[in-house]
Amino acid sequence: MRATYAKAEQIVSTLSTEDKIRLVSGRDSWTTEALEEHHVPSILMTDGPHGVRKQKGSTDHLGLNESVPATCFPPAVTMGSTWDVALAEEVGAALGRESRANDVSVLLGPGLNIKRHPAGGRNFEYFSEDPFVSGKLAAAMVRGTQSQGVGACIKHYAANNQEFFRMSVDTIVDDRTLHELYLTGFEIAVKESDPWTVMCSYNKVNGEHADISRGLLTDALRDDWGFDGLVMSDWYATSDRALALCAGLDLEMPGTDGSWDAEIADAHAKGLLTTAELDLAVTRVVDLALRSQNDVATSQVDPESHHQLARRAAAAGTVLLTNNGILPLDRTGTIAVVGAFAKKPRYQGAGSSLVNPTKLDTFLDAMRHAVGDDAVITYAPGYDAASGATEEALLQEVRDVAARADAVIVVAGLPNSYESEGFDRTHLRLPDGHTAAVMAALDANANTVVALQNGAPVELPWADRPAAIVEAYLGGQAGGSALADVVLGDVAPGGRLAESFPMAASDLPSDRTFAKNPKQVEYREGLYVGYRFHDSAGVPARFPFGHGLSYTAFDYTGLTVRKSGDGYSVTVTVTNVGPREGSDVVQVYVRRPESVAYRPEKELKGFAKVHVASGESQKVTIKLDRRAFAVWDVRSQEWRVESGEVEVLVAASSTDIRARRAVKITDGKAVSPSHGPAAYVATDNEFRTMLGSEIPTPEGSVPFHRDSTAADLHETALGSLVARAILDQARKQFDTSNVDETTAAMFDAALKEAPMRMIAMSSRGKMTFKRLDLMLGVLNRTSLKAWRAH
């Protein structure tokens, strides 16, 4: 037991029930309550995950107000494509240093939800479509952050994989898929990094809000994985504070001016919430505050060294998708740079993670600085940076500069308005203006390179036309310089895709149910997400999971797979047979040819990032523990390894298998038969079998209740009037007159999709739950439609 925890227990034993109830909710948007008489401080937490977003002056949970300058590191999508655990830990440590310098005790990140569908609006904030990559990189960032005496917070737990009605939607997912895909990353992060805190998500999981799910918050998180920190809510995600305390939610954030206090006190008085359960939550809150008073020395932050680290990380996450040999680019002649993003870069995602950078590099400036007098750099914007739209005059300028150049680099991608927290994309296409600029350049000059700045996969039907395609993702504040480093060959492209790029969104089984129904989303694809689908179904991705080219080449030789403890040791020699130094990612997949439980064609179970000089070799050993061969057995509710033959595949991507060895497992346990969707999207009968129950019927919009949204209220005439009044009041409370279009769209989506209880919680006492219940009762009684639905 930690000394801080023992001290917290002693303090809590002296507190009144009133003080205990006060402590399990935040004080305001970003701080906890203090116990000054016991020297327990109020601690500050801020959004991450790729920079410290500590707000100046007045604060708000939506991030509408300005924040202090901080290093904007590459977001998780870019860090994920580095596949570099050591680098992720280094970035985490830098985030910890900046947090500590700003008196931040808990940094709210990293996020590690699975990218079920590439159109997820917040995918830029997550690492991968694969739980193993997600868990390993999240664990590394947590270790780095916490090495500086600052707590990390892994989020959003669990099965939060879309923005569309994220605050209320019910995720219907079978138990095996839940454990193998959507919980495994969190499990790895908990076991390998001991995060101080975990944040629960807004959504329901199989009919139960995440904040009141004892199965998630206590049984899995604490009892199975050994988590001993604090669980907090996402901002205003609490659905029932008393039930949440019973389930294992320790801290409600932000503070809601005592909205829940009366209900907590009532539940406690009636014995529905025991003193032991309340004390446990309060103890964890006090323990977190005491842990923040550690003796880790406050480091002096060197903004320039952090900027250079961000630059190195961005280059390490840059993926070379195609190359006919044009890259690295010669620093001679005339190089045309096309695209407004070269001058006004898209370098981070939109929403609560928005960081105010200490400086910002642009690709155009970086190219001019790098080539100096050796080459001439010309420029044409091609499209509007904010909207992505173009016009004929801009396209003609592109054709003119491209025709006069020896080589062209078009910087294209997704504007903020296309992907953000709060809403999902409706398609995977680039803006028409970006595509038009690319086509104009290609028609004028065959030596055209396309560099992409985007937070998630895009459809690229013209991918075979450019001389090269570089996926730069969102590079953070130094992304412009990092892209120039890679294009000019000062740094080799180090990235490998941690997500598949489909030919079209319609190819994907998850596309059938993604962001369609505001009440319920059914994960009918089961385990067939990302490469697990593409490689199993034989439906090729445009660019497969794990893919990435280099400026050199690597051979894999001498594969051995030997028994080691309860698992296996996989060893292979990687030789750089090309002309220059470079890095590669050795990927180890496991394939089970025969099984009583349905399985994807192959699954990633190990990887290693290696840096090898030209002509040299490096022996790489990757450990596969017993879990690498296991499935979640629903009947026994445990991980089981089935006896039989297993193939171990060593690869450079999920489709580029370099070597394989078969091993035979003889000490396995019987695994219960498990059937998945035969055609990759479960029929009703198949989905019932996967769930082990009937498929829930989505809840109707009426009668109204605390979980009803403003969109629901529009089902009745009087409800529409009430909804408009509520939204008007909320807009007055949160002044959005000076925010950009994307932030305004996120805010409007939040208002329309937020449950009524959240409106009450954020009203600063103007709308109590008692008044809310009375209002909803009146709406139900005065609406024939709502009355009949009762």
Side-chain angles (χ1 to χ4, degrees):
M1 180 185 292
R2 286 188 300 273
T4 54
Y5 194 89
K7 184 177 179 181
E9 284 186 316
Q10 189 277 323
I11 291 171
V12 171
S13 69
T14 69
L15 300 179
S16 66
T17 299
E18 184 179 2
D19 271 341
K20 292 175 184 177
I21 292 173
R22 178 174 63 86
L23 284 166
V24 294
S25 294
R27 184 177 69 177
D28 53 28
S29 292
W30 301 106
T31 65
T32 60
E33 293 280 5
L35 282 173
E36 293 180 1
E37 65 276 24
H38 293 283
H39 306 291
V40 176
S42 168
I43 64 169
L44 173 66
M45 51 190 78
T46 69
D47 276 321
H50 59 274
V52 179
R53 194 179 69 87
K54 178 184 177 182
Q55 289 182 296
K56 293 179 179 178
S58 60
T59 63
D60 66 275
H61 75 285
L62 292 170
L64 302 180
N65 293 324
E66 188 180 0
S67 58
V68 301
T71 306
C72 180
F73 289 96
V77 61
T78 314
M79 292 304 302
S81 66
T82 70
W83 295 63
D84 193 326
V85 171
L87 180 60
E89 190 162 342
E90 193 176 351
V91 170
L95 289 168
R97 284 191 294 273
E98 293 198 20
S99 297
R100 199 159 175 85
N102 281 285
D103 298 317
V104 172
S105 296
V106 177
L107 187 67
L108 301 174
L112 62 152
N113 294 97
I114 294 299
K115 301 180 185 185
R116 174 179 177 251
H117 191 287
R122 212 170 178 178
N123 279 4
F124 59 82
E125 205 169 321
Y126 304 131
F127 293 105
S128 179
E129 67 189 30
D130 181 83
F132 190 82
V133 174
S134 299
K136 291 290 184 179
L137 291 174
M141 292 197 75
V142 170
R143 288 193 301 269
T145 300
Q146 294 186 171
S147 71
Q148 303 302 306
V150 173
C153 179
I154 59 174
K155 60 183 186 181
H156 305 87
Y157 181 71
N160 168 213
N161 310 103
Q162 66 182 47
E163 294 300 288
F164 182 68
F165 280 86
R166 61 176 172 149
M167 297 175 185
S168 57
V169 73
D170 190 0
T171 298
I172 307 301
V173 57
D174 69 277
D175 196 46
R176 186 172 164 214
T177 300
L178 178 65
H179 280 80
E180 293 189 16
L181 280 191
Y182 298 103
L183 298 187
T184 290
F186 286 95
E187 180 184 359
I188 292 169
V190 166
K191 289 182 173 179
E192 296 189 5
S193 65
D194 190 23
W196 288 14
T197 68
V198 170
M199 182 188 292
C200 82
S201 56
Y202 291 106
N203 54 289
K204 296 177 183 176
V205 181
N206 294 324
E208 188 174 45
H209 283 285
D211 71 298
I212 61 170
S213 173
R214 187 171 181 85
L216 288 174
L217 303 188
T218 296
D219 298 344
L221 183 62
R222 296 188 186 278
D223 297 345
D224 294 347
W225 306 343
F227 176 68
D228 68 350
L230 175 139
V231 178
M232 70 177 74
S233 70
D234 202 338
W235 267 229
Y236 297 113
T238 308
S239 66
D240 185 312
R241 190 67 189 100
L243 283 179
L245 284 163
C246 296
L249 183 81
D250 305 307
L251 178 64
E252 173 206 13
M253 286 302 293
T256 57
D257 299 286
S259 295
W260 294 103
D261 289 5
E263 293 191 11
I264 298 172
D266 184 59
H268 183 257
K270 292 176 178 177
L272 301 176
L273 170 65
T274 68
T275 298
E277 289 169 330
L278 179 59
D279 285 359
L280 192 56
V282 180
T283 300
R284 291 169 180 156
V285 172
V286 174
D287 174 53
L288 178 64
L290 296 177
R291 289 178 88 174
S292 70
Q293 293 181 303
N294 51 62
D295 57 2
V296 176
T298 301
S299 301
Q300 291 296 316
V301 173
D302 178 0
E304 183 56 32
S305 68
H306 281 194
H307 183 77
Q308 293 306 317
L309 173 60
R311 181 174 179 170
R312 182 155 50 92
T318 298
V319 185
L320 183 59
L321 296 177
T322 67
N323 187 19
N324 69 1
I326 192 172
L327 295 182
L329 210 60
D330 290 334
R331 304 178 200 224
T332 57
T334 298
I335 301 170
V337 174
V338 171
F341 278 4
K343 204 169 185 179
K344 297 179 180 178
R346 174 90 197 288
Y347 61 98
Q348 63 176 323
S352 62
S353 65
L354 201 66
V355 176
N356 179 16
T358 57
K359 60 190 296 189
L360 182 61
D361 295 351
T362 72
F363 177 64
L364 183 60
D365 286 344
M367 286 292 290
R368 286 171 171 161
H369 177 76
V371 303
D373 297 330
D374 295 334
V376 175
I377 302 293
T378 59
Y379 170 70
Y383 54 81
D384 178 74
S387 68
T390 191
E391 56 189 32
E392 180 54 35
L394 291 173
L395 296 178
Q396 187 57 50
E397 187 181 7
V398 170
R399 297 184 194 103
D400 291 344
V401 298
R404 293 194 295 268
D406 296 290
V408 183
I409 304 171
V410 182
V411 185
L414 297 177
N416 277 336
S417 57
Y418 271 60
E419 52 181 352
S420 168
E421 178 181 355
F423 54 86
D424 300 303
R425 284 188 287 164
T426 57
H427 60 78
L428 301 187
R429 300 186 300 276
L430 292 174
D432 290 344
H434 287 234
T435 300
V438 170
M439 294 301 106
L442 285 169
D443 290 343
N445 194 322
N447 291 328
T448 293
V449 175
V450 176
L452 298 171
Q453 293 181 349
N454 46 290
V458 290
E459 293 174 0
L460 299 170
W462 40 261
D464 59 342
R465 287 197 60 190
I469 303 176
V470 179
E471 177 53 88
Y473 281 120
L474 304 180
Q477 67 179 51
S481 292
L483 179 56
D485 291 341
V486 169
V487 166
L488 294 171
D490 293 335
V491 177
R496 303 293 183 268
L497 295 178
E499 57 192 353
S500 308
F501 274 48
M503 296 283 190
S506 58
D507 289 345
L508 306 175
S510 60
D511 194 56
R512 310 301 188 274
T513 61
F514 175 79
K516 299 288 195 299
N517 188 319
K519 298 294 183 181
Q520 184 168 294
V521 55
E522 298 169 1
Y523 286 19
R524 289 183 177 239
E525 70 281 357
L527 297 171
Y528 295 123
V529 171
Y531 74 90
R532 287 170 167 81
F533 161 69
H534 288 291
D535 297 351
S536 299
V539 176
R542 173 82 58 190
F543 298 109
F545 177 82
H547 169 73
L549 304 178
S550 181
Y551 293 154
T552 187
F554 299 93
D555 276 353
Y556 292 25
T557 57
L559 172 63
T560 62
V561 181
R562 293 192 173 91
K563 195 81 175 78
S564 176
D566 64 353
Y568 290 85
S569 211
V570 180
T571 301
V572 67
T573 298
V574 179
T575 302
N576 184 339
V577 295
R580 55 176 292 164
E581 182 181 5
S583 64
D584 202 8
V585 178
V586 181
Q587 302 161 40
V588 177
Y589 297 84
V590 169
R591 178 177 180 270
R592 174 78 70 158
E594 296 182 3
S595 175
V596 300
Y598 92 95
R599 300 181 188 231
E601 168 66 15
K602 67 179 76 71
E603 295 184 281
L604 183 80
K605 297 299 178 181
F607 66 88
K609 183 80 172 267
V610 294
H611 301 267
V612 187
S614 176
E616 295 191 358
S617 299
Q618 186 172 329
K619 185 173 284 190
V620 180
T621 297
I622 297 170
K623 302 285 187 182
L624 299 181
D625 59 14
R626 191 169 181 83
R627 177 68 175 273
F629 305 93
V631 296
W632 178 254
D633 188 74
V634 176
R635 187 174 298 170
S636 65
Q637 289 291 289
E638 66 180 14
W639 293 96
R640 287 193 172 182
V641 176
E642 189 177 9
S643 292
E645 185 175 286
V646 178
E647 278 191 305
V648 176
L649 315 176
V650 173
S653 79
S654 74
T655 62
D656 184 5
I657 312 302
R658 300 297 182 87
R660 64 181 72 208
R661 293 288 183 274
V663 297
K664 190 162 188 177
I665 296 173
T666 58
D667 58 348
K669 268 186 171 182
V671 170
S672 304
S674 170
H675 303 285
Y680 307 102
V681 180
T683 63
D684 285 353
N685 284 336
E686 288 174 330
F687 201 43
R688 287 188 196 100
T689 300
M690 291 164 65
L691 293 173
S693 65
E694 286 298 316
I695 304 168
T697 301
E699 187 181 56
S701 297
V702 290
F704 303 128
H705 45 74
R706 290 183 181 183
D707 277 351
S708 295
T709 65
D712 291 329
L713 295 191
H714 284 287
E715 287 290 314
T716 70
L718 183 57
S720 292
L721 292 174
V722 172
R724 282 196 289 270
I726 289 173
L727 295 181
D728 287 344
Q729 182 60 40
R731 290 189 180 101
K732 290 176 184 176
Q733 180 178 332
F734 298 101
D735 181 13
T736 61
S737 58
N738 294 319
V739 302
D740 61 79
E741 180 183 344
T742 305
T743 303
M746 179 192 73
F747 180 73
D748 280 345
L751 288 182
K752 293 171 184 175
E753 299 176 6
M756 287 295 104
R757 58 180 159 79
M758 292 178 65
I759 303 296
M761 291 160 65
S762 61
S763 70
R764 298 173 183 167
K766 295 175 184 176
M767 171 73 79
T768 64
F769 282 125
K770 185 175 181 179
R771 290 180 64 189
L772 175 64
D773 292 340
L774 286 171
M775 181 193 76
L776 295 172
V778 169
L779 291 177
N780 286 328
R781 287 192 298 273
T782 56
S783 164
L784 183 61
K785 184 175 183 180
W787 181 79
R788 283 175 173 170
H790 262 294

